[in-house]
Each structure stands twice: as C-alpha cells, then as structure tokens.
Amino acid sequence: RDQAAEAVELVKQLQDDINLPTALHNVGVTEAMLEPLSKAAIGDLNHMTNPRVTSEADMLSMYQAAF
C-alpha cells in the first residue's frame, strides 16, 4: 500500500510538472456538454465491450466527477 500511495503521489507530481490538465473544464469542456457526451459514450462501440454494466446516468456521473 505504501508503494501504491507513493506511485499516486509521483503521478500527481508529474501532472503538475508538465502542466497536464486534470479536469474536463481545463480542456474546454463545458457543463452543457456533459449530457451529450454521456449519450455518445453509451452509443460508442467500446461501451459494449466494457466488463462493467454502465447506464447513461452512470456515464454522466463519471463525467460530472471529472468536470
């Protein structure tokens, strides 16, 4: 666990060091785009091969968390 926590901290530090955006709003995504993105994600072929069953509401929740 200690090594995993250290790895997480190193990745966060790398994000800071290279100015990597860490939220969707930092890359131009607006809140109004989240619902259409959720609909598109459900229709995407990759969604069909996801081992976890996810609904459009699940997708929206994930986008909101990443916003």
Side-chain angles (χ1 to χ4, degrees):
R1 278 196 173 266
D2 289 339
Q3 289 176 328
E6 184 179 346
V8 168
E9 289 306 313
L10 289 171
V11 170
K12 287 180 181 179
Q13 185 60 53
L14 177 61
Q15 288 173 319
D16 288 343
D17 290 349
I18 64 173
N19 297 317
L20 187 67
T22 58
L24 292 175
H25 68 272
N26 295 128
V27 293
V29 175
T30 65
E31 200 165 356
M33 297 168 124
L34 300 182
E35 211 167 309
L37 284 169
S38 301
K39 290 181 188 304
I42 289 295
D44 189 272
L45 291 177
N46 287 319
H47 172 258
M48 294 177 200
T49 60
N50 191 340
R52 287 192 178 177
V53 177
T54 50
S55 67
E56 190 175 314
D58 295 328
M59 292 291 192
L60 181 57
S61 291
M62 287 186 271
Y63 280 124
Q64 289 169 332
F67 185 71

